[in-house]
Amino acid sequence: DAGVTQSPTHLIKTRGQHVTLRCSPISGHKSVSWYQQVLGQGPQFIFQYYEKEERGRGNFPDRFSARQFPNYSSELNVNALLLGDSALYLCASSLRTSGGANEQFFGPGTRLTVL
Amino acid sequence: AQSVAQPEDQVNVAEGNPLTVKCTYSVSGNPYLFWYVQYPNRGLQFLLKYITGDNLVKGSYGFEAEFNKSQTSFHLKKPSALVSDSALYFCAVRDINAGNMLTFGGGTRLMVKP
């Protein structure tokens, strides 16, 4: 079975632009989470979606938004990009959200560079 | 609020020797604890988790971790290190009473020398 896939692999944008990152979860997984990993740090939680509804949100500004589609894939959108948004954006999927015991499986990430 | 501390930025060990990567956590309720490994330019790979039960958890690639509630620790261990174990290791915690947010530590770089 294919793992979590993310596109694009790399992306270069300039300040003020908008970006859309995409994620396809493992088949059968209904929960998708997004994380931001700045170089040299651990991943920081941005959003979790389950059954197309937002189930959790981290401490990120409203410039960050996401959605989940009926096929459980997800998009992360970032508006008005800042230099500090440069990071590896990780998508993770899990079987479900309730209970919390399920491990999350991560994709390879999208490397975003903001110039 | 939940938090994770990995006190060592880097751990150096010789191949064949035992290794320990330290992790302490803070949650208001009972924790779910996880270890992930990250290789260069790759996403995170799941190693093992503690949910409940036996305090010694066995995971992938010969790794194990010991949950210690009194010390709020979840140290990662392996009896005999391999050069291929060299990578970045992350400990993560989820408070079962605080939703589904997974909080990661800052990571520990493991260097195994031949």
Side-chain angles (χ1 to χ4, degrees):
Chain A
D1 282 340
V4 177
T5 59
Q6 293 186 242
S7 63
T9 305
H10 297 86
L11 203 52
I12 298 176
K13 293 285 189 178
T14 57
R15 283 177 296 176
Q17 286 189 311
H18 162 271
V19 68
T20 297
L21 310 180
R22 296 177 175 83
C23 170
S24 292
I26 292 171
S27 178
H29 285 193
K30 298 183 177 181
S31 178
V32 170
S33 297
W34 287 95
Y35 293 83
Q36 180 195 66
Q37 186 179 16
V38 173
L39 193 63
Q41 297 180 18
Q44 298 286 318
F45 173 76
I46 309 176
F47 286 110
Q48 182 184 39
Y49 276 77
Y50 176 69
E51 292 284 12
K52 302 182 293 295
E53 292 187 2
E54 182 182 305
R55 297 300 183 97
R57 185 184 183 110
N59 188 25
F60 280 80
D62 291 343
R63 298 186 295 107
F64 289 76
S65 63
R67 56 179 175 169
Q68 186 178 33
F69 299 99
N71 66 352
Y72 303 109
S73 67
S74 177
E75 284 182 354
L76 175 69
N77 296 283
V78 186
N79 293 322
L81 285 167
L82 303 174
L83 295 179
D85 295 331
S86 296
L88 181 67
Y89 288 84
L90 296 165
C91 174
S93 75
S94 60
L95 277 171
R96 61 177 185 265
T97 184
S98 62
N102 297 301
E103 60 269 30
Q104 296 182 0
F105 294 88
F106 285 79
T110 294
R111 173 74 61 188
L112 172 65
T113 302
V114 182
L115 302 176
Chain B
Q2 56 195 42
S3 65
V4 176
Q6 293 182 242
E8 302 154 317
D9 290 335
Q10 182 162 317
V11 170
N12 298 308
V13 63
E15 186 175 32
N17 284 359
L19 69 88
T20 298
V21 182
K22 296 179 180 178
C23 170
T24 58
Y25 66 90
S26 174
V27 296
S28 57
N30 291 317
Y32 291 146
L33 293 156
F34 304 82
W35 274 101
Y36 286 84
V37 59
Q38 187 175 35
Y39 294 97
N41 301 313
R42 301 278 294 276
L44 277 69
Q45 295 180 29
F46 170 76
L47 282 179
L48 51 79
K49 67 180 179 182
Y50 171 82
I51 304 301
T52 186
D54 194 350
N55 289 342
L56 185 63
V57 178
K58 294 189 182 295
S60 306
Y61 313 117
F63 284 94
E64 57 189 27
E66 186 169 10
F67 172 66
N68 188 317
K69 187 172 183 178
S70 63
Q71 297 185 5
T72 61
S73 66
F74 189 56
H75 300 331
L76 181 70
K77 300 180 180 183
K78 187 174 183 180
S80 179
L82 300 172
V83 172
S84 57
D85 292 330
S86 299
L88 195 53
Y89 290 81
F90 290 98
C91 180
V93 67
R94 179 186 290 130
D95 185 337
I96 65 174
N97 297 317
N100 302 295
M101 184 176 72
L102 197 59
T103 298
F104 284 86
T108 298
R109 183 164 300 283
L110 174 65
M111 298 290 292
V112 182
K113 298 183 179 180

